[in-house]
Amino acid sequence: MADVRLETALDPVAEIAAFNARYATSGGIVTFLGQVREGGGVEALELKHYGPMTLPGMTDLARITQLRWPLDGLLIVHRHGVMHPGDPIVLVAAAARHRRDAFAAADFAMDHLKSESWFWKREKTATGWRWIEPRPEDHEDLERWR
Amino acid sequence: MADVRLETALDPVAEIAAFNARYATSGGIVTFLGQVREGGGVEALELKHYGPMTLPGMTDLARITQLRWPLDGLLIVHRHGVMHPGDPIVLVAAAARHRRDAFAAADFAMDHLKSESWFWKREKTATGWRWIEPRPEDHEDLERWR
Amino acid sequence: MPRLVFLGKLEDIAGTAELTVAPGPVEQILATLDRALAIELLGEKVRMALNGSLITDMGGVTLREGDELAFLPPVSGG
Amino acid sequence: MPRLVFLGKLEDIAGTAELTVAPGPVEQILATLDRALAIELLGEKVRMALNGSLITDMGGVTLREGDELAFLPPVSGG
């Protein structure tokens, strides 16, 4: 039921169109699209993953999300590799009979993707590449679900 | 900054494509698409509005939503008229620098659209048209924001 | 002439979406309507809007030429 | 031969994404590495995965032919 992918490219509009068509009679569809922000002098970012664990972890997250809320469908697509401001990074879509379930499921999946998935991020500015450390907010976001 | 419309037709994918393109460097975009559910023997639904108040009320809701969260952009499109299972009813999209702001703004706007906007809904089943009464959950949804 | 506008199920009860009425105090106008309809219009959950703005009390409100008084039952939209 | 895999900033510190090592107990293997790198790998926030599964303690773990031991610093993804 869940469609979970780790990709080097992501076309959010095509993905959303296909998802909406597939779940046309679900009451509500919530999508989250994460993009590379502009600002802070960031010219590029790179997301690295670990083959044996990253996609299996995402698949497990999808399974847990579906156990927690009654969903008609769930999509999680995450990119890895080098990206630039304006590029899509991650897309989550949840279709449910009831609006609140779709919102909660997408929100939950994103909090866990950001904080518990096996991705490592580095950013390139004029001074070169720099690895990004986890932020305290990521941990706080997770606490909301416990 | 907000794009608020009351329409007789809605093309969610085209709207989402345009919104995403416009806010390509926002960190996060949350969209909610409400559709006519299948089930319960509902063959059609009709949403009626009141010209002098419905769109002004939606515009005011957009203003309040933007005051409450720092958004890059906000879209609210609501249909009126007769719709059938699988048809889109409402689309809300919120673009923000930070993910949580986009989620909260879209969620807030939807709760208020459902419970406080000037729309009246009737459903058609095999036994004819029937006006829908407000549900207790609608009120509970609003209480979350107070 | 002033108009009364009936939204949602009130349109079904009234049998019409709009009614043109003679100018005058709202209480007097309602007294001229079908009694069953008037009772519905005065229901506790029905709100009123004069020319697009909610009013909390019809006491003292007089409808003049071109005024529109809308009766708004609880919303169930979206 | 077993391999050590370094994720995130540990790759920069190691100067390589992977290192082929001789089979044997992990403690012995780490003792053969550059001391600054070994200290980073043993950092409190670094987790380890043996053949794709997290392990909580390297005590007693012996790497055999084809084993892959990954060192995972805190994630910062998405």
Side-chain angles (χ1 to χ4, degrees):
Chain A
M1 181 164 80
D3 180 1
V4 183
R5 283 177 276 137
L6 181 61
E7 307 266 20
T8 54
L10 168 58
D11 179 343
V13 170
E15 296 285 353
I16 290 170
F19 190 85
N20 290 358
R22 188 166 170 191
Y23 300 105
T25 57
S26 294
I29 295 178
V30 170
T31 64
F32 175 80
L33 171 63
Q35 309 179 123
V36 183
R37 274 201 288 265
E38 201 141 66
V42 175
E43 298 161 10
L45 68 77
E46 181 172 18
L47 277 176
K48 297 223 183 189
H49 73 290
Y50 178 45
M53 294 177 71
T54 306
L55 183 59
M58 290 165 59
T59 302
D60 202 46
L61 171 60
R63 187 183 58 77
I64 291 165
T65 306
Q66 287 172 304
L67 282 176
R68 193 149 169 173
W69 290 278
L71 301 181
D72 294 337
L74 178 64
L75 171 72
I76 299 177
V77 188
H78 209 300
R79 276 178 79 184
H80 65 94
V82 176
M83 292 158 248
H84 300 91
D87 283 353
I89 306 171
V90 56
L91 178 70
V92 167
R97 180 165 172 79
H98 297 291
R99 181 175 85 252
R100 299 228 50 73
D101 292 328
F103 264 110
D107 199 5
F108 175 90
M110 272 311 305
D111 277 353
H112 287 77
L113 273 174
K114 290 285 280 189
S115 319
E116 291 203 328
S117 287
W118 298 107
F119 288 103
W120 295 270
K121 180 163 64 179
R122 55 180 195 152
E123 288 180 350
K124 188 185 181 208
T125 61
T127 59
W129 286 98
R130 184 177 66 90
W131 288 100
I132 304 301
E133 298 291 327
R135 308 167 313 147
E137 304 96 282
D138 295 336
H139 181 72
E140 290 157 22
D141 287 347
L142 284 191
E143 285 299 317
R144 299 163 56 228
W145 306 102
R146 281 172 186 160
Chain B
M1 180 166 80
D3 180 1
V4 183
R5 283 176 277 138
L6 181 60
E7 308 266 20
T8 53
L10 168 57
D11 180 343
V13 170
E15 295 285 353
I16 290 170
F19 191 84
N20 289 358
R22 187 165 170 192
Y23 300 105
T25 57
S26 293
I29 294 178
V30 171
T31 63
F32 174 81
L33 171 63
Q35 308 179 122
V36 183
R37 274 200 286 266
E38 202 141 67
V42 175
E43 298 162 10
L45 68 78
E46 181 172 19
L47 278 175
K48 297 223 182 188
H49 73 291
Y50 178 45
M53 294 177 71
T54 306
L55 183 58
M58 290 165 58
T59 303
D60 202 46
L61 171 60
R63 187 183 58 77
I64 290 165
T65 306
Q66 287 172 304
L67 282 175
R68 193 148 170 175
W69 290 279
L71 301 181
D72 294 338
L74 179 63
L75 170 71
I76 299 178
V77 187
H78 209 301
R79 276 178 80 185
H80 65 93
V82 175
M83 291 159 249
H84 300 91
D87 284 353
I89 307 172
V90 56
L91 179 70
V92 167
R97 181 166 172 79
H98 297 290
R99 180 175 85 253
R100 300 229 49 73
D101 293 328
F103 264 109
D107 199 5
F108 175 90
M110 272 311 305
D111 277 353
H112 287 76
L113 273 175
K114 290 285 279 190
S115 319
E116 291 204 329
S117 287
W118 298 108
F119 288 103
W120 294 269
K121 180 161 65 179
R122 55 179 196 151
E123 288 180 350
K124 188 185 181 208
T125 62
T127 60
W129 287 98
R130 184 178 66 89
W131 288 101
I132 304 301
E133 298 291 325
R135 307 168 314 145
E137 304 94 282
D138 294 337
H139 182 73
E140 290 157 23
D141 287 347
L142 284 190
E143 284 300 316
R144 299 164 56 228
W145 305 103
R146 279 168 188 162
Chain C
M1 301 283 278
R3 281 173 309 137
L4 307 185
V5 176
F6 308 117
L7 279 305
K9 66 177 179 183
L10 296 177
E11 175 180 343
D12 288 359
I13 294 166
T16 179
E18 291 191 12
L19 203 61
T20 301
V21 294
V26 172
E27 283 99 333
Q28 279 187 25
I29 293 169
L30 290 184
T32 68
L33 298 181
D34 173 79
R35 190 175 153 74
L37 173 60
I39 287 171
E40 290 288 341
L41 296 182
L42 292 168
E44 162 183 39
K45 289 182 172 169
V46 174
R47 305 182 73 182
M48 283 170 294
L50 180 60
N51 300 323
S53 294
L54 287 174
I55 57 174
T56 50
D57 185 6
M58 70 173 70
V61 173
T62 294
L63 297 190
R64 297 191 168 76
E65 187 60 41
D67 277 349
E68 177 168 312
L69 182 66
F71 292 87
L72 314 157
V75 297
S76 54
Chain D
M1 301 283 277
R3 281 172 307 137
L4 306 185
V5 176
F6 309 117
L7 280 305
K9 67 176 178 183
L10 296 177
E11 175 181 344
D12 289 359
I13 294 165
T16 179
E18 294 191 8
L19 202 61
T20 302
V21 294
V26 173
E27 282 99 334
Q28 279 187 26
I29 294 168
L30 290 183
T32 68
L33 299 180
D34 172 81
R35 189 177 154 75
L37 173 60
I39 288 171
E40 291 287 343
L41 297 181
L42 292 169
E44 165 184 35
K45 291 183 172 170
V46 175
R47 304 182 74 182
M48 282 171 295
L50 181 60
N51 301 323
S53 295
L54 286 175
I55 57 175
T56 51
D57 185 7
M58 72 174 70
V61 174
T62 294
L63 297 190
R64 297 190 167 77
E65 186 61 39
D67 278 349
E68 177 168 312
L69 181 67
F71 293 87
L72 313 156
V75 296
S76 54

